[in-house]
Amino acid sequence: MPAGLLARHGRLDELRAAAATDDSRYAVQALARLLEERGDVEGAIAAYRQANGPVTRDPNSAFELAQLLVRHGRGNEAIDVMRVQDDAHNGDDWTLHTLSDLCLDRGRPGDGLTHLNALDAARGGEEDWDLYWIRLPLIAARDGVDEAITQVRSHPDGATSYAAPHIAELLAGAGRTEEAIAVLEQHAHANSHDLAGYLIDVDRVEDALAVLQRYTTRPLELSDGT
């Protein structure tokens, strides 16, 4: 019987047996969710740990476990789970994003940066932009937006069109939307939708429409509701 159906009918013993031999982890997740619904948080945590051992082999299971811990006010443990997961997968960008977001949410940006800096050093200090930008919200939280932007500018790709949206997001998050717009205007062709969104945020709707009409391949048509 499928794990979801076992969970729906509360057949806990059968679900435990399915989870013990389930390489796909679906039964493990179903078991953990059922236990959590019944108020057995420790049992739900144990289900993930017993299925995966000391190091969660499946990134999805690690994420599920981390989210479970966060839901029950155990964010610091969630950070530990994702740190171990990231170490096991050698800086996978998905796990790094999750780890960094957890550190930010828990008010621990310095810990997130320490992990990212160690990873950067292990790679010889040549971090691609796809990984580098993950640190920017952490720097902004710890040292301020201007310091984060200074760090961006020091990166070889810091002045490119794909760095511009990340700079703009930092500025807009600090209430400096006009500055965000100015950054994106330098790379409007590549970032027209982001630029239009910020223009709308400051009630420059006509300017937003002009940007989209200029840089999209098919002209926009305003609907009259008919």
Side-chain angles (χ1 to χ4, degrees), residues 99-179:
L99 175 59
S100 298
D101 286 345
L102 285 169
C103 288
L104 197 60
D105 292 342
R106 294 294 297 173
R108 293 171 54 184
D111 290 340
L113 286 168
T114 296
H115 186 85
L116 288 168
N117 289 338
L119 178 62
D120 187 22
R123 293 178 173 180
E126 298 180 359
E127 199 165 39
D128 291 339
W129 181 259
D130 287 345
L131 290 179
Y132 185 83
W133 76 265
I134 299 172
R135 72 184 60 239
L136 301 182
L138 298 168
I139 297 171
R142 189 186 69 177
D143 304 319
V145 169
D146 290 325
E147 177 59 27
I149 292 173
T150 297
Q151 298 257 0
V152 171
R153 299 304 189 197
S154 70
H155 192 276
D157 295 322
T160 62
S161 61
Y162 42 88
H166 301 295
I167 299 173
E169 185 175 1
L170 291 173
L171 290 165
R176 296 159 60 177
T177 307
E178 291 290 354
E179 292 178 64

